[in-house]
Amino acid sequence: MEMKGEERIAAHRDAVWAALNDPDILKQCIPGCHSITRTSPTEFSAALKVKIGPIPVMFTGQITLSNVQAPNSYTISGESAGGIAGLAKGRADVTLTEYGDETILAYDASAQIGGRLAQLGSRLVGSSASRLAAKFFSDFSAAANALSEA
Protein backbone atom coordinates (compact mmCIF):
# COMPACT_ATOMS: atom_id res chain seq x y z
CA MET A 1 0.00 0.00 0.00
CA GLU A 2 1.30 3.43 -0.94
CA MET A 3 0.30 6.83 0.45
CA LYS A 4 1.62 10.19 -0.65
CA GLY A 5 0.51 13.66 0.29
CA GLU A 6 1.12 17.08 1.74
CA GLU A 7 -0.25 18.82 4.78
CA ARG A 8 -0.06 22.56 5.40
CA ILE A 9 0.59 23.26 9.07
CA ALA A 10 0.11 26.72 10.57
CA ALA A 11 3.42 26.64 12.45
CA HIS A 12 7.07 27.42 11.79
CA ARG A 13 9.26 24.56 10.55
CA ASP A 14 11.32 24.40 13.76
CA ALA A 15 8.14 23.88 15.81
CA VAL A 16 6.88 21.20 13.40
CA TRP A 17 10.26 19.44 13.56
CA ALA A 18 10.24 19.57 17.37
CA ALA A 19 6.70 18.16 17.44
CA LEU A 20 7.63 15.33 15.03
CA ASN A 21 10.35 14.29 17.47
CA ASP A 22 8.43 14.71 20.74
CA PRO A 23 7.03 11.40 22.09
CA ASP A 24 4.40 13.20 24.20
CA ILE A 25 3.02 15.11 21.22
CA LEU A 26 3.11 12.01 19.03
CA LYS A 27 1.26 10.01 21.68
CA GLN A 28 -1.56 12.55 21.80
CA CYS A 29 -1.80 12.75 17.99
CA ILE A 30 -1.48 9.11 16.86
CA PRO A 31 -4.97 7.59 17.00
CA GLY A 32 -5.16 4.81 19.57
CA CYS A 33 -1.61 5.33 20.87
CA HIS A 34 -1.19 3.90 24.36
CA SER A 35 2.53 4.60 24.70
CA ILE A 36 5.52 5.86 22.80
CA THR A 37 8.95 5.94 24.37
CA ARG A 38 12.26 7.20 23.01
CA THR A 39 14.81 4.41 23.46
CA SER A 40 17.69 6.21 21.71
CA PRO A 41 18.12 9.45 19.73
CA THR A 42 16.78 7.67 16.63
CA GLU A 43 14.55 4.92 18.03
CA PHE A 44 11.19 4.66 19.74
CA SER A 45 9.05 1.82 21.02
CA ALA A 46 5.29 2.18 20.70
CA ALA A 47 2.00 0.47 21.47
CA LEU A 48 -1.32 1.39 19.91
CA LYS A 49 -4.79 -0.04 19.50
CA VAL A 50 -6.62 0.66 16.28
CA LYS A 51 -9.60 -0.75 14.46
CA ILE A 52 -8.84 -2.00 10.95
CA GLY A 53 -12.19 -2.68 9.36
CA PRO A 54 -14.04 -4.89 11.84
CA ILE A 55 -10.90 -6.03 13.68
CA PRO A 56 -9.53 -4.17 16.73
CA VAL A 57 -5.77 -4.70 16.83
CA MET A 58 -3.17 -3.96 19.50
CA PHE A 59 0.17 -3.26 17.82
CA THR A 60 3.53 -3.10 19.57
CA GLY A 61 6.72 -2.33 17.75
CA GLN A 62 9.84 -0.33 17.06
CA ILE A 63 10.18 2.92 15.12
CA THR A 64 13.51 4.05 13.66
CA LEU A 65 14.51 7.43 12.24
CA SER A 66 17.18 7.47 9.53
CA ASN A 67 18.50 9.92 6.92
CA VAL A 68 17.93 12.64 9.53
CA GLN A 69 18.56 16.14 8.10
CA ALA A 70 17.23 18.34 10.93
CA PRO A 71 14.98 20.36 10.58
CA ASN A 72 14.28 19.46 6.96
CA SER A 73 13.62 15.75 6.57
CA TYR A 74 13.95 12.18 7.75
CA THR A 75 12.89 8.66 6.96
CA ILE A 76 10.75 6.94 9.55
CA SER A 77 10.36 3.18 9.46
CA GLY A 78 8.77 0.68 11.73
CA GLU A 79 7.75 -2.89 12.31
CA SER A 80 4.99 -4.02 14.59
CA ALA A 81 3.24 -7.18 15.63
CA GLY A 82 -0.50 -7.30 16.11
CA GLY A 83 -0.71 -10.74 17.65
CA ILE A 84 -3.19 -13.05 15.97
CA ALA A 85 -4.34 -10.24 13.65
CA GLY A 86 -0.99 -10.10 11.88
CA LEU A 87 1.85 -7.73 11.37
CA ALA A 88 2.57 -4.42 9.74
CA LYS A 89 5.71 -2.71 8.57
CA GLY A 90 6.28 0.47 6.72
CA ARG A 91 8.37 3.52 6.05
CA ALA A 92 7.83 7.12 5.12
CA ASP A 93 10.05 9.85 3.78
CA VAL A 94 9.01 13.10 5.48
CA THR A 95 10.07 16.54 4.23
CA LEU A 96 9.35 19.92 5.82
CA THR A 97 9.35 23.07 3.69
CA GLU A 98 8.92 26.59 5.03
CA TYR A 99 6.08 28.49 3.39
CA GLY A 100 5.88 31.93 5.00
CA ASP A 101 4.67 31.43 8.57
CA GLU A 102 3.50 27.91 7.71
CA THR A 103 5.19 24.60 7.01
CA ILE A 104 4.38 22.12 4.30
CA LEU A 105 4.86 18.56 5.52
CA ALA A 106 5.20 16.20 2.54
CA TYR A 107 5.23 12.44 2.96
CA ASP A 108 5.75 9.45 0.71
CA ALA A 109 4.87 6.28 2.59
CA SER A 110 4.57 2.57 1.92
CA ALA A 111 3.26 -0.20 4.14
CA GLN A 112 3.01 -3.96 4.09
CA ILE A 113 0.66 -6.10 6.14
CA GLY A 114 0.46 -9.80 6.81
CA GLY A 115 -1.73 -12.32 8.60
CA ARG A 116 -5.46 -11.78 9.09
CA LEU A 117 -5.08 -8.10 8.25
CA ALA A 118 -3.94 -8.98 4.74
CA GLN A 119 -7.05 -11.12 4.28
CA LEU A 120 -9.27 -8.05 4.79
CA GLY A 121 -8.22 -6.69 1.42
CA SER A 122 -6.33 -3.60 0.42
CA ARG A 123 -9.44 -1.45 -0.08
CA LEU A 124 -10.63 -1.88 3.52
CA VAL A 125 -7.14 -1.53 4.98
CA GLY A 126 -6.46 1.49 2.76
CA SER A 127 -9.62 3.30 3.86
CA SER A 128 -8.76 2.63 7.53
CA ALA A 129 -5.22 3.94 6.96
CA SER A 130 -6.54 7.07 5.24
CA ARG A 131 -8.97 7.72 8.11
CA LEU A 132 -6.21 7.29 10.72
CA ALA A 133 -3.83 9.55 8.75
CA ALA A 134 -6.47 12.30 8.48
CA LYS A 135 -7.07 12.15 12.25
CA PHE A 136 -3.32 12.22 12.95
CA PHE A 137 -2.67 15.26 10.73
CA SER A 138 -5.64 17.16 12.16
CA ASP A 139 -4.44 16.60 15.74
CA PHE A 140 -0.76 17.06 14.85
CA SER A 141 -1.38 20.37 13.09
CA ALA A 142 -3.15 21.71 16.18
CA ALA A 143 -0.37 20.48 18.50
CA ALA A 144 2.43 21.90 16.32
CA ASN A 145 0.59 25.22 16.07
CA ALA A 146 0.23 25.37 19.87
CA LEU A 147 3.95 24.58 20.24
CA SER A 148 4.82 27.32 17.74
CA GLU A 149 2.74 29.89 19.65
CA ALA A 150 4.27 28.94 23.03
Side-chain angles (χ1 to χ4, degrees):
M1 174 174 43
E2 306 288 324
M3 289 179 30
K4 190 180 240 185
E6 288 185 352
E7 295 294 326
R8 187 175 291 208
I9 300 172
H12 292 282
R13 181 176 61 185
D14 289 340
V16 175
W17 180 261
L20 279 175
N21 289 280
D22 184 323
D24 293 330
I25 289 177
L26 293 174
K27 181 181 176 191
Q28 74 183 27
C29 297
I30 297 170
C33 187
H34 287 265
S35 68
I36 185 164
T37 306
R38 184 181 296 274
T39 57
S40 81
T42 59
E43 295 178 323
F44 299 87
S45 62
L48 62 129
K49 186 174 184 178
V50 294
K51 193 169 183 181
I52 309 288
I55 301 174
V57 182
M58 183 70 167
F59 285 106
T60 57
Q62 297 300 117
I63 301 166
T64 303
L65 306 179
S66 58
N67 304 320
V68 178
Q69 311 255 332
N72 301 310
S73 63
Y74 64 40
T75 299
I76 183 168
S77 56
E79 282 192 43
S80 64
I84 194 166
L87 58 92
K89 81 178 186 177
R91 65 178 273 134
D93 293 315
V94 178
T95 305
L96 303 178
T97 305
E98 288 182 312
Y99 190 78
D101 288 342
E102 298 180 322
T103 301
I104 297 175
L105 184 155
Y107 59 93
D108 187 355
S110 63
Q112 299 169 325
I113 55 172
R116 288 182 58 197
L117 290 175
Q119 295 171 355
L120 291 174
S122 62
R123 175 179 257 165
L124 185 58
V125 172
S127 73
S128 293
S130 294
R131 179 180 46 79
L132 293 170
K135 174 78 171 128
F136 169 78
F137 283 117
S138 171
D139 292 349
F140 181 78
S141 183
N145 190 22
L147 186 64
S148 181
E149 290 175 355

